Structures are given as structure tokens and as C-alpha cells.
Amino acid sequence: MTKLESGQRNQGRREVTRAVEKLKVLVVDDDKEIVNAIAINLRNEGYEPLKAYDGLQALDILNTHEVHLIILDVMMPKMDGLSATLKIREERNIPIIILSAKSEDSDKILGLSMGADDYVTKPFSSRELMARVKSQLRRYLTLGDVNTKKRNVLETGGLCFDLDSRTLTVDGEPVKLTPTETKIVELLMRHPGRVFPAEEIYERVWEQPAYKVENTVMVHIRRIREKIEINPREPKYLKVVWGIGYKMEKI
Amino acid sequence: MDTLGIYNGIAEDGHTGEHTNEHTDEALPESAAEPGTEALETDQGQENTQLGLAAKLHDDVTPPSEDTGETQRLGERKYLHDVSVTASPKPRKSRPFAAWLCFVLGMTLISLCTVGAFVGLVWSQGNWESMKSLVTDYKSSLPFKARTSRYFSALFYYITSLTSDIEPGSQSDPASDAENHVLRHSLLDNEGENLKYFAIEIGSGLTIANIDGNLSSVIGEDNMPILPPGYDYCWYFDGKEVWVFDHGKPVDIRRLDSGYRGLVPDPVTDWVRRSGNPDDLASIRVLLAVKNVLVPNPYGYSDYYYEQRTLAIAGRLYFGVLAAGVLMFAYGVIKRRDKHIFDRKLAAWSGRLWFEVKVFLSLLVALVAYGVLYASWDWYSYVHWWSWLPIAVLISAGILLFALFWFYMMLADLIINRKRFFSHNSVNSLLTLYRNYEKKYPWQKMMLSRVYALIIAEAVLCLLAVIFILGFFGGSALLALLSLLLVALGVFLLYRYLRRYSETVNDLGRLVDHIRRIKDGDMETKLLVAADSDIHEAAQNLNTIQEGMSRAVREKLKSERMKVDLITNVSHDLKTPLTSIVSYVELLAKEEGLPPNARDYVAILAQKTERLRHLIQDLFDLAKATSDNIVLDLNKLDLARLINQALADMQESIEDSGLAFRVKLPDEPVYIVSDGAKLSRVLQNLISNTLKYSLLGSRVFIDLEVQGKEALVTIKNTANYEMDFDEEEILERFVRGDRSRSTEGSGLGLSIAKSFTEACGGRFAIKIDGDQFKVELRFQLAG
């Protein structure tokens, strides 16, 4: 919570310096109450919500307004969320967060492959949704920041590990890590996608022979997750590969 | 392939009744896709319904027909085209017979004509011209020339014999005169007007003639004959050689195609051979003239006239018959579908005859036909052969017709009934009889008495063979043949028994295999066994049982699937309102200035909402796992490590629980192939279960061991309440271990664990022993 609040403050400060007007977020769902609830939350976070109740309305609004992010339900009348995503992606590159009651991995993969940037399953907590909105907007607006490219960094998705300063940022937001956690993150980020057994992580980070270290490693992994993941229960970056080890997802 | 074998088996054995055979024969082309079922389902009932259906279809348009399936198939085929035709319905019953009769009759007539032509050709030494002229121009025909030649030779013989008789003394012998006179009359004068002859010995003036006139008026100065008016055809001997004149022109009788070869006598050579002086013939003149228009002789029997008439009629008849034959044959060929129907009827009839009978009758027919034909055409040496002709023709036609009909029937039988033509014999019939008899007994007795019957039959045959062979030593070859036949019969019986035995063993093997298949859950494959198999009934019964089971399983699956679909849809539809509830509860919680009690209420709302969310998610997961469309992400993984990870993941709650966990894992990795994410969920559920329901301060044992090719995970804990339910009950959805507590969890944990374990290829078992609660998970080791 503290991290999110600080991030929001930071974001707000940056926005003030950038432009006076608020960022516009389009919320599309056929359930008006859900749209209203999300709109209230967005307004509380300092965004200007726009409302639409089906895919066609959403496309209309996109044509008439400057929109910075879309929250899109999948199952809607007239034009469903996936078709709308495809349609929007023909012209625009704005972040799209898909809302869906379908929680299967295959549904998520389908949504993401259609061009969506994130996938949130119903029922969601508004806190998580807001965190994802912020995260997406931050990445969208800081895209093309030349400073980050030049440095000696490891990157995967929104994660960025600076090898010189040995600091980690998530979507541009610095994260405070202990030295052991830093070592683990560095090890995993140097080999994104590779699965490390707990013993290997222990031997390379602690530099001691490993014996019954699963708990130790797991505790650190969980702590890192809580710092870098929006929803630690459904991690995006740092994943447990059950029965094998741990890995940093390659995004 | 197998099913085809069965079909062949039926056809070969030939004891499935003629009905079946016909049926399979017809049904094959239509249902070639599944010959096996056709062969298997030889039940008459089914066939009848099929035919009945076809007949119904057929009846709507055309009058009913008594014919076999062929007609009905035809009827069906014509259904679309024949609507206009059938406005005036025709009795179709006779059509097949008519077509068939035309075909056979036409065939007979054509063969008769061919045989006739062939006989004639042989007779005329291969001269086609003379064959043709039999009908059109009698005078250039072979019989005419042969007859004329005979007359001429006779006349020549008379004059020469007379002159040789008179020459020594010029006294004529009245007896000889009379004899000649009679001869002359009987042969030459029977022709009357049709034949003018004049033979003279110039020296003595001796004349045999029915032409009025002397030498000078008949033979001209140039030694050429002068013919009376109306007579333009003549044979003439001018003292040296024989000439044939037609309308005043000499015929080149030496030409191959003149038709005279071998017919015109060479008098001089002949004379010399008879040791006469060729000069003696120089004074002989013989003339034979035939009237242009042949007329009947009122005073005698003119062979010329009647021969011409007979030949003309016979010739016309011949071509008429040939034409009729061709027409009928053509009709038969055009209507060959109709003909085929009658062929089938015939084949059905003749198929009832034993093979031996057919062979015997065929031999008899062939022998009789040969004898009769030979006898009826053995009359050509007779002079008045044409009076025989009609009778001979009729007899030949009759016998040919019969023989052709018989062999045609045999051929049709062979083509239509195929193997059954041979297999329907007395031995097989006896065997079938025996089979029907033995069916009355129970199976085991049937199989045993079959062996006994074989032994008895073999013994009797051996005894008879020995008796007959003793007769052979007594000198009878027929008895030896009989004994050989008996031995052959014995061997055949043995062969049949062994074949049957191997078939039965084979079928039994398949029955056993099939039972195993059913045990393994194959509900679709049917056991196909030939209808005459010893275990046919057993196989049918098994198929019925299988069908019943399969239906039950299908019903169960269907209801299960419906349940799953329902749960999926419901949990899905629950999520939408829940989303609103979650959102507004959160908004409410953020609201400032709420009275403390309202804040408490909101907290409770939030808590219950969260529980509802879990419940719905669990429901959905369970539905997903129990339905078939669960997607697995299979990997080779270390089960020990997975347990460690799961424990590490829940370390905090484990520490908070105050329970002592005793984990015993092997040092080596235990590799299995499974879906790690789903297994971790299983372990999470099981561990959190122990956390919830274990006696405070008790120990929880988690063991992993390798048993043979299986990995066994056991989780044991001591319950903190009395477990008044059994292993089955606890897995029933919504039945919770502790019925009194309803504040935590969804109660689906164990069900989900079980479903996921099974979906991942493992086995899940619960054991309750007093307060001991034990879960066992078994997985197949990888590799």
C-alpha cells in the first residue's frame, strides 16, 4: 500500500509538471454499476473517467476524445471486448486492460495475444485494478525515455535492474531490496526464463553448500514478490515452477 | 479383414440356409461399407424389415411384386423415372420369366442354327456358295448337283453295261432289257418332265432316252448337244469327257468353287480301271438335261421337285428361326435385369439340389443329348432325307433346348450361389442336420457329444472300408472304389471337425479378449462372430451386456457433463454481480465518517464477499477438473521438491498453527510427469486442511516414498473433532469434515484435491482410523 501510494504521488507530481489536464481513462462494461464503481475509483486516483457500455460506443468515444488507457470488458453486447481490442489496435497503441469473468489461462493468453496489455479477472479488487492502471500508464507515458536505454541495465517487462547502481525499478518506480534479495534478483534477471533450483540459487547467492534450503530460498522469493508484483498471488515476473525451481519470466 | 473372413466362413460352410445366402449376395454391393455387420446380422427379422421397407416404398408406385430384393431394388431405382409409366400399371410378375425365356430360347435357336450351318458346311465340304444357293437357287446347290451326278452316273452305267452286254453277240437279252427298264423307271423316270435323258452307242444305235428323236436331232454336227426347249441345263459326255452346260455355256467344273468337285464322274479313267478299252467309249454319247422350271411328276416322285421345295422352305425357315433367335436373344440381353431375377429364382431352386445330384444329372443330360443328337442326324445316307429333316430338326432342337437350359441353369447356379454350389452336398447337409440336433443340448454337452459323434462316424466308416477292401481282394473293383470313397469321406469329416474346432477356439479366444476389452472400458467395439459359430449366442449376449453398460456409462457421463456445465455457467454468472459487490464494499470501506458499528458491518461484508469469491472459484475449478476439458501442462518434475516448495510456500501459516510437521522425504529426487501447478494446489489444499482440522499441538506426518514403480505421498494428521463419516462421504461435494463449522473454506478442498490428482494421472485415497485422518496420493514414476 505504501509503495502504491508513493507511486501515485510520484505520478501525480510528474503529471503536474507535464500537463495541467488530467489523464483520461475509458471504462467499458455492459454492467453500469461496475463502470460507475471503477469510475469513482479512477476519479479518486486523479484520472478523468470516460464511460461506455459496449464496444461500438467505446470506439465512438475513442474517435472523439483523447484517451490514455482503456479498461475493457470481454462479454458485451454489439461488439465484444476482444473484437474491440483488435479494432483499436489497428490504429492506436494506448494501453488496454481487459476485464473478464473467465479465469482460465487460455482465456488470458487469448486476450493478451489480441493486443491487450493486461488481463484482470472478475471479481477484482479495485486496489489491484488501480495499481495495474497506474503501472500501465507509467510505462505508456515514459516510453521512449532515452535515459534508461543508455545505461547498463537488465530488463524484463516493466522490471529494470541497473547493474551499476545495483537498484531495481518496477515501471520506473524504485524498489528497496536487501543485499540478498538484490543478489537473487540479479541472478534471475541475468537469465530470464531459466529455471533455477533452490540449491543453485542458494549456492550462488549465499556461496555456501546447500542443504535443505527450500524454505530459506522460498521466503526470500516471497518477499521479493511482495515488493515487485502487483498481485503476489498471481505473480507476473517471479514465478515458482512447481517441482523444479524458480524463474524470472522473460517478457 | 476379420469380418470378411466371417462372411466367407458362412458362404463356405453353406449351412446358413439359402435365404441368408441370397440376402448377403444382394446386400453386399449396397452395404459394402460394413460387410461384417451384414454377415453377422443374418437374422431374418432384420432382413425382412429391410425388404419390407423397400417393398413399401415400391408399393406406392407399382403393384406389389413377389420377387426377391432385386425387383425391389430395381423398383427403388426406377422410382424417380417411372412415375409416368406406372400410370397404367402392368403386371410385372411375368416379365422376368418372359425375359428369361426369350434369352434361353434365343440362345437355343442361335446355337441350333449355328450347329446346322456347321453341319451343312461340313457336308458341303466348306463351300459357302452352294450353302447360300440352297435357298435361292436350287440348280446351283450342292444337293442338286449331287443328285444330277447320281442320275448321270446311273445313265452312263446303263448305256455302258448294255453295250458291253450286246457287243459279243448282237442279241439283246430281254431280261436284262427289262431290268434296265425297271432301273430306268425307278430312278430316272420318277423325275418325269424334269429330266430329259439321251444315251446312245453310235455303233449299235442302242439308245436309252426319253427324248423323242435320233442321234442327229439330239447331237449336233459339232458334237454338241441340241437341247429341247425349256431345258437349258445339261450334262453331256461327248465320248471323251463330261461337260456341264448351263444356258449353252460350258461350266468350268474343275474350278474349286464351282461346286462340282468330286461330283462329276471321269468315265474314261473309270472305264480303264474296269479294264475296258478307252476307245470303246468313243462311240458313247450321254446327255442329261434338267428342265428350267421344275414341276411335280403326276406319275412318280420327283426328287428334284421335292428337294427344291423342301430346301426352299427349310432355308426360309432357317433364316426365320435365326432371326427369331437373334431377336429373342437381344430382348433377353436388353431385359437382362428382369432375366436376372428369374435366374435367381432358378438358382434358388437348383441350389436346393445337392452337388452330387447336380453332377449326376449334368452327366446324364450330356450323355442323353449326345446320344440323341448322334442318332437323329445319322440319316443323311437316305435318299429321301428331307422327309427326315423336320423330325431330326425338332428332336435336335428339343434336346438342345433341354441341354442348354440345364447347363445354363447350372451356370447361373454356380455364378449366383458361388461356393454354395459345391458346399451344398449330402455330407454338409447331414452335418447341418447334426448341428441342428446338437443345439438342443447345453454347450458343454454339445461340444463333448460332437467328439463322440466324430469317433463313432469314423469307426463306422473304417469298418465299412475294411469290409469293402476285403471285397476288393475278392475281385470286385467297384467295392475298392467304394472303400476309397469311404476313406475320403472319413478324412473329410475329420477335416471339417478340426476346422470347426479351430474356429470355435478362435472365437472363444476373441470372446476372452473382448471381455478383457470391456473390463478396460471399451464400450464401443462390438464382438463380431459368425452366425453359425458355437459361441454366437454367448457373443450376442455379451454385446447386449456391453450395450447396456455403455448406455449406462453414457447416461452417467451426460448427467455429469450437464452438472459440470451448470456449475461452470452458474459460477460464471455469479462473478458479475460479485464484482459489483466487491467494488462497492471497497468503496464503502474507504468512506470516511462512518459510525464505528457501520465500519464493523462493512468489514463483515468484505470478509463474506471474499469467502464467496473463494467458493465460486473453487466451484469453478472443481467443475473444470471433473469435466473432460481440463488443460494439463505436463512436465517431468521432482515430487520431493514440490512438497518442499508447497511447505515453504505455506511456512508462515504452518508456524502460526502450532502444529509439528514431520516431513520425511527421500534424498534422491522422485521424478514424475505431471502438472506442477495443479499438484501444488492439491498439496496446498491438503496442508491447509490439516491446519484447519488438526488437534492443537498434535503432529502432522508427511511422507514420500517410492513403492515399486509408484511414488506414494501420505499426509496423516489427528483430527480435532470426531469424524462421524466415512471415506466416501467426505469426498461428496459440500460435505465438510466438520459439519458444525461453517465459517471457513468452501468445503470443496478435498474434492478439488481428488479431482486434480486424478486429472494429473494420480490416485487419491482417504483413510480414516479413529481420529487418524490419512490421505494417500499415488503417482506413476517417470521413465
Side-chain angles (χ1 to χ4, degrees):
Chain A
M1 196 62 199
T2 49
K3 180 207 114 193
L4 290 173
E5 275 169 357
S6 69
Q8 195 253 318
R9 245 179 279 124
N10 195 325
Q11 175 77 33
R13 220 181 299 134
R14 197 180 296 169
E15 284 313 310
V16 170
T17 55
R18 254 175 117 92
V20 185
E21 65 183 284
K22 289 175 176 177
L23 290 175
K24 286 179 182 144
V25 176
L26 174 60
V27 185
V28 194
D29 196 317
D30 58 329
D31 189 319
K32 292 188 180 175
E33 277 67 45
I34 293 178
V35 174
N36 285 336
I38 297 172
I40 293 167
N41 278 310
L42 284 171
R43 206 166 282 129
N44 287 345
E45 298 290 340
Y47 302 114
E48 185 187 338
L50 298 168
K51 297 174 192 174
Y53 304 104
D54 62 59
L56 291 177
Q57 271 184 27
L59 290 178
D60 280 350
I61 292 176
L62 275 176
N63 285 334
T64 52
H65 294 73
E66 191 203 359
V67 175
H68 298 96
L69 186 140
I70 304 171
I71 298 171
L72 195 58
D73 183 31
V74 170
M75 293 217 280
M76 286 185 300
K78 290 183 188 171
M79 183 188 266
D80 69 59
L82 295 179
S83 311
T85 308
L86 277 178
K87 205 86 189 158
I88 295 165
R89 274 286 171 265
E90 283 173 11
E91 296 167 12
R92 308 275 193 107
N93 198 27
I94 48 175
I96 299 176
I97 296 175
I98 284 203
L99 284 182
S100 171
K102 290 181 177 174
S103 55
E104 290 299 289
D105 283 345
S106 55
D107 299 318
K108 289 182 189 170
I109 291 166
L110 181 67
L112 294 176
S113 66
M114 288 283 178
D117 298 276
D118 212 341
Y119 191 100
V120 178
T121 54
K122 289 181 182 175
F124 50 85
S125 78
S126 47
R127 207 149 46 91
E128 184 187 338
L129 183 64
M130 288 310 121
R132 286 181 192 275
V133 167
K134 276 176 218 158
S135 157
Q136 288 298 335
L137 276 174
R138 219 163 28 227
R139 286 186 66 193
Y140 176 58
L141 295 171
T142 55
L143 204 75
D145 190 341
V146 282
N147 294 340
T148 53
K149 292 279 148 108
K150 259 162 60 177
R151 273 182 265 151
N152 189 12
V153 293
L154 299 171
E155 266 185 308
T156 176
L159 282 188
C160 183
F161 187 78
D162 190 325
L163 289 168
D164 297 331
S165 62
R166 296 179 60 74
T167 51
L168 182 72
T169 51
V170 182
D171 298 322
E173 191 78 3
V175 179
K176 278 181 188 170
L177 294 174
T178 64
T180 315
E181 287 166 359
T182 311
K183 277 185 182 175
I184 295 175
V185 167
E186 187 185 344
L187 172 67
L188 294 179
M189 281 191 74
R190 274 184 189 277
H191 310 277
R194 194 188 137 185
V195 182
F196 287 88
E199 288 79 16
E200 195 181 341
I201 294 174
Y202 191 84
E203 278 165 11
R204 291 175 75 160
V205 172
W206 278 265
E207 290 167 356
Q208 281 170 20
Y211 180 71
K212 300 211 168 174
V213 293
E214 201 73 57
N215 269 347
T216 319
V217 174
M218 182 62 111
V219 167
H220 282 91
I221 294 284
R222 277 220 311 273
R223 283 192 195 136
I224 298 168
R225 250 200 226 152
E226 272 156 21
K227 290 178 183 173
I228 66 170
E229 301 282 357
I230 291 172
N231 182 359
R233 282 166 176 269
E234 287 175 43
K236 185 181 175 189
Y237 302 113
L238 187 48
K239 286 185 176 170
V240 178
V241 183
W242 293 98
I244 304 174
Y246 309 88
K247 71 167 175 182
M248 186 65 79
E249 198 71 68
K250 191 177 186 174
I251 300 169
Chain B
M1 223 39 240
D2 209 357
T3 50
L4 271 177
I6 292 166
Y7 171 67
N8 284 342
I10 293 173
E12 212 175 287
D13 283 344
H15 37 58
T16 45
E18 157 208 324
H19 199 61
T20 311
N21 215 324
E22 264 185 54
H23 168 57
T24 44
D25 220 326
E26 273 163 26
L28 261 179
E30 281 180 338
S31 59
E34 33 175 20
T37 46
E38 280 301 330
L40 183 81
E41 313 261 313
T42 41
D43 301 345
Q44 292 210 353
Q46 187 180 355
E47 188 199 356
N48 284 345
T49 49
Q50 276 179 10
L51 289 186
L53 256 173
K56 235 184 219 166
L57 231 165
H58 187 60
D59 281 355
D60 295 338
V61 195
T62 46
S65 135
E66 281 184 7
D67 291 317
T68 46
E70 178 77 12
T71 343
Q72 275 131 12
R73 227 171 60 195
L74 272 174
E76 277 178 276
R77 196 173 296 153
K78 287 180 176 173
Y79 186 85
L80 290 171
H81 316 286
D82 265 13
V83 182
S84 57
V85 178
T86 47
S88 57
K90 246 181 9 190
R92 304 186 47 169
K93 208 161 127 189
S94 57
R95 252 204 232 165
F97 177 69
W100 178 86
L101 194 68
C102 279
F103 184 81
V104 173
L105 267 180
M107 200 170 64
T108 314
L109 292 180
I110 288 171
S111 4
L112 202 64
C113 288
T114 314
V115 169
F118 189 70
V119 168
L121 205 60
V122 170
W123 195 29
S124 67
Q125 298 161 359
N127 191 324
W128 262 117
E129 286 305 310
S130 53
M131 285 296 297
K132 269 196 310 195
S133 51
L134 275 176
V135 188
T136 51
D137 183 9
Y138 174 60
K139 289 244 178 73
S140 56
S141 79
L142 213 58
F144 172 78
K145 287 165 186 168
R147 186 164 296 283
T148 313
S149 166
R150 201 180 298 148
Y151 289 151
F152 186 79
S153 302
L155 191 59
F156 194 86
Y157 175 72
Y158 301 150
I159 192 71
T160 47
S161 54
L162 279 180
T163 47
S164 58
D165 280 348
I166 11 178
E167 237 168 322
S170 46
Q171 200 69 31
S172 74
D173 178 14
S176 152
D177 263 3
E179 188 191 345
N180 283 332
H181 188 73
V182 169
L183 268 171
R184 236 166 58 191
H185 261 292
S186 65
L187 196 61
L188 301 179
D189 288 351
N190 263 343
E191 294 293 346
E193 285 279 296
N194 292 331
L195 193 65
K196 290 287 181 194
Y197 56 90
F198 183 85
I200 189 163
E201 206 283 315
I202 301 171
S204 62
L206 186 71
T207 311
I208 305 171
N210 67 351
I211 301 177
D212 297 329
N214 52 25
L215 179 67
S216 56
S217 70
V218 176
I219 313 290
E221 290 293 314
D222 53 352
N223 200 16
M224 283 293 130
I226 300 163
L227 298 175
Y231 295 81
D232 285 332
Y233 178 84
C234 74
W235 287 40
Y236 175 60
F237 179 70
D238 62 356
K240 281 190 198 116
E241 55 182 326
V242 179
W243 295 83
V244 174
F245 291 100
D246 196 1
H247 288 84
K249 281 178 217 146
V251 176
D252 186 357
I253 56 176
R254 283 174 199 82
R255 275 178 66 107
L256 277 176
D257 58 353
S258 65
Y260 286 94
R261 278 178 65 86
L263 288 180
V264 178
D266 184 0
V268 180
T269 322
D270 211 30
W271 189 252
V272 171
R273 199 184 299 132
R274 278 155 66 186
S275 62
N277 187 352
D279 294 337
D280 295 346
L281 293 179
S283 61
I284 303 271
R285 298 288 181 275
V286 178
L287 174 68
L288 198 69
V290 183
K291 196 175 165 118
N292 288 354
V293 183
L294 297 172
V295 291
N297 180 15
Y299 308 105
Y301 195 83
S302 167
D303 282 328
Y304 273 145
Y305 176 73
Y306 286 107
E307 194 170 59
Q308 182 193 28
R309 211 176 58 173
T310 310
L311 279 177
I313 292 170
R316 283 192 195 101
L317 211 62
Y318 178 87
F319 285 109
V321 164
L322 188 63
V326 168
L327 278 180
M328 285 165 129
F329 188 76
Y331 180 77
V333 168
I334 290 166
K335 295 277 177 187
R336 62 185 173 281
R337 292 202 183 283
D338 284 346
K339 177 187 81 76
H340 203 57
I341 294 163
F342 199 80
D343 281 350
R344 282 180 185 286
K345 272 187 171 180
L346 267 184
W349 179 83
S350 71
R352 276 176 221 162
L353 293 177
W354 281 341
F355 175 64
E356 298 95 316
V357 174
K358 281 185 275 201
V359 168
F360 176 74
L361 286 179
S362 297
L363 282 176
L364 198 70
V365 167
L367 214 66
V368 166
Y370 175 75
V372 170
L373 277 182
Y374 189 82
S376 65
W377 288 92
D378 192 25
W379 40 260
Y380 58 88
S381 51
Y382 296 111
V383 178
H384 301 296
W385 58 270
W386 55 84
S387 55
W388 264 98
L389 188 69
I391 300 165
V393 165
L394 277 180
I395 292 175
S396 313
I399 200 74
L400 253 179
L401 182 67
F402 182 69
L404 272 173
F405 159 73
W406 177 265
F407 285 108
Y408 175 83
M409 193 168 80
M410 287 298 105
L411 198 68
D413 190 356
L414 184 65
I415 290 170
I416 289 167
N417 292 336
R418 289 184 218 167
K419 279 186 177 166
R420 207 180 119 69
F421 182 82
F422 303 103
S423 63
H424 182 62
N425 54 40
S426 57
V427 179
N428 277 333
S429 293
L430 271 176
L431 286 178
T432 310
L433 219 86
Y434 177 75
R435 290 242 169 94
N436 286 336
Y437 159 78
E438 72 177 2
K439 266 184 201 155
K440 286 188 294 192
Y441 295 104
W443 200 79
Q444 53 272 53
K445 198 172 175 193
M446 177 176 91
M447 297 308 282
L448 281 177
S449 62
R450 194 180 290 168
V451 183
Y452 300 148
L454 177 77
I455 292 169
I456 292 168
E458 292 289 345
V460 168
L461 287 175
C462 269
L463 199 69
L464 284 175
V466 166
I467 292 170
F468 284 149
I469 210 84
L470 287 177
F472 168 64
F473 287 123
S476 167
L478 189 71
L479 286 180
L481 197 70
L482 262 175
S483 78
L484 269 181
L485 263 177
L486 287 175
V487 169
L489 190 62
V491 171
F492 179 67
L493 276 180
L494 200 62
Y495 159 73
R496 283 300 303 267
Y497 175 79
L498 285 178
R499 202 181 67 178
R500 180 75 178 176
Y501 181 73
S502 78
E503 274 170 14
T504 304
V505 168
N506 206 7
D507 285 347
L508 269 179
R510 291 177 50 219
L511 188 72
V512 170
D513 286 350
H514 194 69
I515 292 172
R516 189 184 310 124
R517 265 213 296 271
I518 292 179
K519 188 212 82 184
D520 290 345
D522 181 355
M523 293 296 159
E524 298 309 313
T525 327
K526 287 265 168 282
L527 180 58
L528 298 178
V529 168
D532 64 310
S533 169
D534 287 324
I535 60 152
H536 181 243
E537 200 192 338
Q540 293 292 81
N541 291 345
L542 189 63
N543 281 341
T544 313
I545 292 170
Q546 187 186 20
E547 215 167 276
M549 280 170 72
S550 141
R551 200 180 301 127
V553 167
R554 259 206 311 275
E555 295 283 317
K556 200 178 165 218
L557 274 180
K558 199 177 151 198
S559 67
E560 190 81 4
R561 183 88 31 91
M562 275 171 67
K563 225 189 295 175
V564 165
D565 284 350
L566 189 73
I567 292 171
T568 310
N569 287 336
V570 166
S571 76
H572 194 264
D573 287 350
L574 286 174
K575 281 179 183 175
T576 307
L578 190 63
T579 308
S580 289
I581 296 173
V582 168
S583 300
Y584 285 99
V585 167
E586 279 174 358
L587 285 176
L588 203 56
K590 278 186 198 164
E591 207 65 40
E592 284 164 19
L594 278 179
N597 54 345
R599 199 153 283 288
D600 286 349
Y601 304 157
V602 171
I604 292 168
L605 271 180
Q607 192 189 336
K608 298 295 166 190
T609 312
E610 187 63 14
R611 221 189 120 204
L612 192 58
R613 203 165 75 98
H614 275 293
L615 180 66
I616 290 169
Q617 192 53 48
D618 280 358
L619 257 180
F620 184 74
D621 287 342
L622 185 62
K624 199 78 185 156
T626 47
S627 70
D628 287 338
N629 47 5
I630 185 165
V631 183
L632 292 177
D633 177 21
L634 293 178
N635 279 308
K636 187 176 175 184
L637 49 89
D638 178 5
L639 192 54
R641 185 186 293 280
L642 191 136
I643 293 171
N644 260 334
Q645 283 177 322
L647 285 169
D649 196 36
M650 300 180 74
Q651 200 187 4
E652 283 168 17
S653 27
I654 289 173
E655 278 165 6
D656 292 348
S657 70
L659 296 167
F661 270 69
R662 297 283 179 269
V663 183
K664 207 164 79 191
L665 303 174
D667 290 336
E668 303 80 37
V670 179
Y671 286 115
I672 61 169
V673 174
S674 195
D675 184 328
K678 297 223 161 42
L679 276 192
S680 75
R681 179 83 189 277
V682 170
L683 287 170
Q684 256 171 31
N685 279 3
L686 292 176
I687 293 168
S688 65
N689 227 37
T690 60
L691 294 181
K692 270 183 232 161
Y693 302 120
S694 283
L695 194 65
L696 198 67
S698 66
R699 279 171 286 275
V700 176
F701 296 89
I702 298 180
D703 293 339
L704 169 63
E705 45 189 319
V706 173
Q707 288 186 346
K709 286 187 172 180
E710 275 185 337
L712 171 65
V713 183
T714 27
I715 302 173
K716 283 180 281 190
N717 68 312
T718 312
N720 56 3
Y721 61 98
E722 191 184 344
M723 290 182 281
D724 54 348
F725 44 80
D726 60 21
E727 290 89 342
E728 290 291 314
E729 253 178 4
I730 195 167
L731 285 172
E732 297 276 324
R733 289 166 202 177
F734 293 109
V735 173
R736 300 199 342 153
D738 181 5
R739 286 170 194 175
S740 61
R741 293 171 68 172
S742 58
T743 48
E744 279 178 74
S746 63
L748 292 173
L750 277 181
S751 297
I752 291 173
K754 180 174 192 273
S755 302
F756 273 25
T757 307
E758 282 163 2
C760 291
R763 280 183 289 146
F764 185 96
I766 288 175
K767 288 184 178 147
I768 295 170
D769 183 10
D771 280 347
Q772 271 283 311
F773 185 81
K774 186 162 100 174
V775 177
E776 286 183 355
L777 306 177
R778 284 168 202 275
F779 297 96
Q780 202 79 26
L781 288 179

